[in-house]
Amino acid sequence: MQLLNQAVVTEHLNMQAAIDAIEELLHQQAAHPNWVKAPERLVIETFGEDKKHSSGSHLSMPATIYDGEKEYTAVKLVTICPDNPSRDMPTTTAIITVSNNDTGEILAIMDGIYITQVRTAALSGIATKYMTKPDCQSVAVVGCGGMAYEQLNAVLTVRPDIKTVYLWNRNHEGAAQFKTRFARDYAQWDIEISVCEEVGDAIRDADIINVATRATEGLFSIDQIKTDAHINAVGAYQATMKEIGNDVVANSSMVVVDDLAGSRHEAGDLIQAHDNSDCTWTWDDLSGDLQALVTGALKKEVTKSAGVTLFKSVGAASFDAAVALYVAKQAEQNSLGSSIDW
């Protein structure tokens, strides 16, 4: 069994590999629906009545994948601690186990923080690849927390011609730190990064808008963005949260989710748009999911239609499993991390 800490996972997992692993999974699910099994995640709210702590949550996310030769199980255990930034710790902590179902042998235990960030970002990268025009020149990052970092990397991976990045964060210092860190760690991208005082300044000229916040109401309106902008929304992961306004949802020419079942329970933006009697959007207006987009079941002429496009991501255990399995196989083949007898 290989033990893989965050440093090892980060060194041996890149964005393109994660995108490829998830696209392969989506094709596999379409061709063989029974080869991938991922029950709905178990979510336990934490500190709901404790006024000394912000409300967080613990998630258990199992999935099995049959790759045509062997079957594997990956289980991710996640704890979301909103108070952690004040402790100089990541908001999300996670660990993932990968096992061989033939024998039950655990192949790897790995840190799941970076995998969570990368697989979430990879989903947005895939959506961007299929839902945006190839000549996008600018991207806005709304919310500069932990998830936003790899989100930007994913968009640049699939749209490498982007030259301008606009940042906005409620805490201005957070945006400034994001700029410094991203320019240092991803110096290969030839981009100009600007920190904006107002969210409207960040999104006004952006071809792509990445949104990753814990907001409870829409952060901008449809008249503040370009008429053909694409939005990747990965925050608002609970029914009570919302970062994309009803008018944006209702006026999007295309709305795609990563997981059909999960979005009905967790995509706060869409749940609230559907439930609001003043909003014209309902679940019947959903264009489809990422699998349909990747496999072409969601027709290409639709994806190229004019207007704002919206991708809403809530995550699913199968995506974590696909990326974790890739890392586990790399670890087994190349003796990565620390090998121990269990």
Side-chain angles (χ1 to χ4, degrees), residues 43-309:
V43 180
I44 302 173
E45 300 302 320
T46 59
F47 295 116
E49 303 299 326
D50 188 341
K51 302 306 181 184
K52 296 180 181 179
H53 299 270
S54 298
S55 178
S57 54
H58 175 78
L59 296 78
S60 300
M61 303 172 61
T64 61
I65 294 178
Y66 177 62
D67 64 3
E69 297 181 359
K70 296 181 180 180
E71 183 180 276
Y72 302 89
T73 292
V75 180
K76 185 171 78 167
L77 300 176
V78 187
T79 303
I80 299 173
C81 303
D83 293 330
N84 268 4
S86 65
R87 305 180 181 110
D88 196 25
M89 296 174 64
T91 301
T92 302
T93 62
I95 191 167
I96 300 175
T97 64
V98 178
S99 58
N100 182 334
N101 284 1
D102 290 339
T103 63
E105 177 188 10
I106 297 177
L107 302 178
I109 297 177
M110 65 189 74
D111 179 87
I113 296 176
Y114 189 64
I115 286 180
T116 300
Q117 293 173 344
V118 171
R119 73 88 161 129
T120 303
L123 296 171
S124 292
I126 294 168
T128 300
K129 174 182 173 180
Y130 288 91
M131 296 176 72
T132 68
K133 54 189 180 183
D135 60 346
C136 290
Q137 294 294 303
S138 58
V139 56
V141 176
V142 178
C144 297
M147 286 296 176
Y149 197 69
E150 292 303 329
Q151 290 285 319
L152 177 56
N153 184 32
V155 168
L156 294 174
T157 297
V158 299
R159 290 289 178 261
D161 292 335
I162 286 175
K163 298 300 181 185
T164 306
V165 176
Y166 305 102
L167 306 178
W168 178 84
N169 194 63
R170 290 191 190 278
N171 180 340
H172 187 81
E173 182 181 351
Q177 292 174 348
F178 182 103
K179 175 181 177 178
T180 300
R181 180 186 170 203
F182 196 88
R184 179 196 68 203
D185 293 350
Y186 288 110
Q188 74 267 29
W189 299 121
D190 181 20
I191 54 175
E192 179 181 347
I193 305 178
S194 301
V195 175
C196 301
E197 293 288 341
E198 303 292 337
V199 65
D201 297 331
I203 62 177
R204 182 185 304 114
D205 298 318
D207 295 312
I208 300 167
I209 304 171
N210 286 351
V211 191
T213 72
R214 288 173 54 84
T216 55
E217 59 182 24
L219 296 170
F220 51 85
S221 59
I222 190 70
D223 59 3
Q224 290 181 281
I225 63 178
K226 296 178 71 171
T227 57
D228 60 351
H230 170 72
I231 303 168
N232 294 311
V234 305
Y237 54 85
Q238 296 176 359
T240 56
M241 300 168 70
K242 187 174 184 67
E243 55 188 6
I244 307 302
N246 289 347
D247 65 325
V248 177
V249 176
N251 286 282
S252 292
S253 65
M254 189 176 189
V255 179
V256 173
V257 297
D258 59 344
D259 181 63
L260 290 173
S263 63
R264 293 276 185 156
H265 302 292
E266 299 175 11
D269 314 281
L270 304 185
I271 292 169
Q272 293 181 48
H274 171 86
D275 291 345
N276 191 314
S277 59
D278 294 328
C279 180
T280 59
W281 191 89
T282 71
W283 286 108
D284 291 337
D285 297 313
L286 185 70
S287 303
D289 64 2
L290 205 58
Q291 177 180 299
L293 200 64
V294 168
T295 61
L298 193 55
K299 297 185 182 299
K300 290 186 178 180
E301 59 262 31
V302 176
T303 67
K304 292 181 179 178
S305 62
V308 172
T309 55

